[in-house]
Amino acid sequence: GEDVEQSLFLSVREGDSSVINCTYTDSSSTYLYWYKQEPGAGLQLLTYIFSNMDMKQDQRLTVLLNKKDKHLSLRIADTQTGDSAIYFCAESRTLRFGGSYIPTFGRGTSLIVHP
Amino acid sequence: DAGVIQSPRHEVTEMGQEVTLRCKPISGHNSLFWYRQTMMRGLELLIYFNNNVPIDDSGMPEDRFSAKMPNASFSTLKIQPSEPRDSAVYFCASSPTSGSRSYEQYFGPGTRLTVT
């Protein structure tokens, strides 16, 4: 299987909460991320969580991390049509060379918000 | 800051032609990454540079692909000869290797390549 897995599509009604789920395989992950890609654009970091945390909240976004089950989720409260995009889950560890964090990305979940 | 700059934004070429994609990373970022995005394979890391030196090119699909970073502000990804299966969106990303944002990658807008 793939290192980072997530469902490909999620459809929600405007105003509802969206929950996007992700599972990963590497127990030594240091950072776990959610990136957002809008049509015709590159990925942009939406939020991240350090591996020693189990929850992070940032305005409408809540990230939950279950290290035991290697499960990451992103909850978007009061979902708006402007939230329609592809959401990528990713995990990373520090590499030996250069100290850069190299994310391993999932395939992305297309969030469709309808009125 | 202007962000990561990629050119061209769109490229249409015929099979067998050489294609060169260009990237200017964010000033001060030490790491540069080239990715390819397709529906079939998702987002694939092709190559990664640190301080202008290629560190890991294991994702480069075959010898037709080559990447260079002659200085800290410029990188190219070349495909020669191009094939229809190379059609994809190619992203360049840069990242600092120190400081409070070293965990984050900053993506360019991508180059959509179509090989006919």
Side-chain angles (χ1 to χ4, degrees):
Chain A
E2 296 188 2
D3 294 334
V4 179
E5 291 194 359
Q6 51 185 131
S7 55
L8 294 182
F9 298 99
L10 177 66
S11 178
V12 299
R13 192 178 300 276
E14 189 175 19
D16 288 351
S17 292
S18 308
V19 180
I20 304 173
N21 295 300
C22 168
T23 57
Y24 59 98
T25 58
D26 193 343
S27 58
S28 63
S29 297
T30 304
Y31 282 100
L32 295 114
Y33 313 83
W34 286 103
Y35 277 80
K36 179 181 180 182
Q37 183 182 28
E38 296 188 354
L43 281 68
Q44 186 172 18
L45 183 66
L46 193 61
T47 187
Y48 70 96
I49 189 166
F50 196 62
S51 57
N52 67 354
M53 300 167 65
D54 52 21
M55 187 179 101
K56 181 178 181 180
Q57 189 148 6
D58 183 3
Q59 299 183 334
R60 292 191 297 123
L61 306 178
T62 303
V63 178
L64 295 178
L65 174 61
N66 182 326
K67 281 195 74 173
K68 175 177 170 291
D69 294 339
K70 300 190 186 67
H71 183 267
L72 184 74
S73 68
L74 173 69
R75 179 177 180 270
I76 305 173
D78 187 25
T79 312
Q80 302 298 306
T81 54
D83 295 323
S84 294
I86 303 175
Y87 291 81
F88 290 86
C89 173
E91 60 87 18
S92 70
R93 295 152 284 148
T94 307
L95 285 192
R96 289 183 293 142
F97 300 108
S100 290
Y101 291 92
I102 312 293
T104 299
F105 289 92
R107 297 292 298 271
T109 299
S110 288
L111 175 64
I112 301 160
V113 182
H114 52 91
Chain B
D1 199 314
V4 175
I5 298 171
Q6 291 187 248
S7 65
R9 292 295 312 275
H10 302 273
E11 176 82 31
V12 180
T13 191
E14 292 184 345
M15 183 174 66
Q17 296 298 305
E18 177 180 294
V19 174
T20 300
L21 311 181
R22 297 172 176 79
C23 174
K24 177 177 168 50
I26 292 173
S27 177
H29 284 190
N30 305 87
S31 294
L32 183 139
F33 310 83
W34 282 101
Y35 289 91
R36 178 172 69 177
Q37 185 180 36
T38 61
M39 290 291 290
M40 291 294 293
R41 294 176 177 268
L43 197 64
E44 301 173 276
L45 176 63
L46 301 178
I47 187 168
Y48 148 53
F49 292 86
N50 184 253
N51 291 325
N52 313 337
V53 176
I55 301 299
D56 184 357
D57 65 354
S58 59
M60 297 285 262
E62 43 196 282
D63 291 345
R64 298 184 296 106
F65 285 69
S66 63
K68 293 182 180 179
M69 191 163 185
N71 57 62
S73 59
F74 183 66
S75 177
T76 59
L77 178 68
K78 186 175 293 186
I79 309 172
Q80 165 64 14
S82 57
E83 296 182 3
R85 60 193 167 119
D86 302 330
S87 298
V89 181
Y90 291 81
F91 289 103
C92 176
S94 69
S95 176
T97 50
S98 60
S100 60
R101 305 293 291 191
S102 60
Y103 54 81
E104 182 174 355
Q105 291 197 339
Y106 295 76
F107 282 76
T111 295
R112 181 174 295 277
L113 173 65
T114 304
V115 184
T116 60

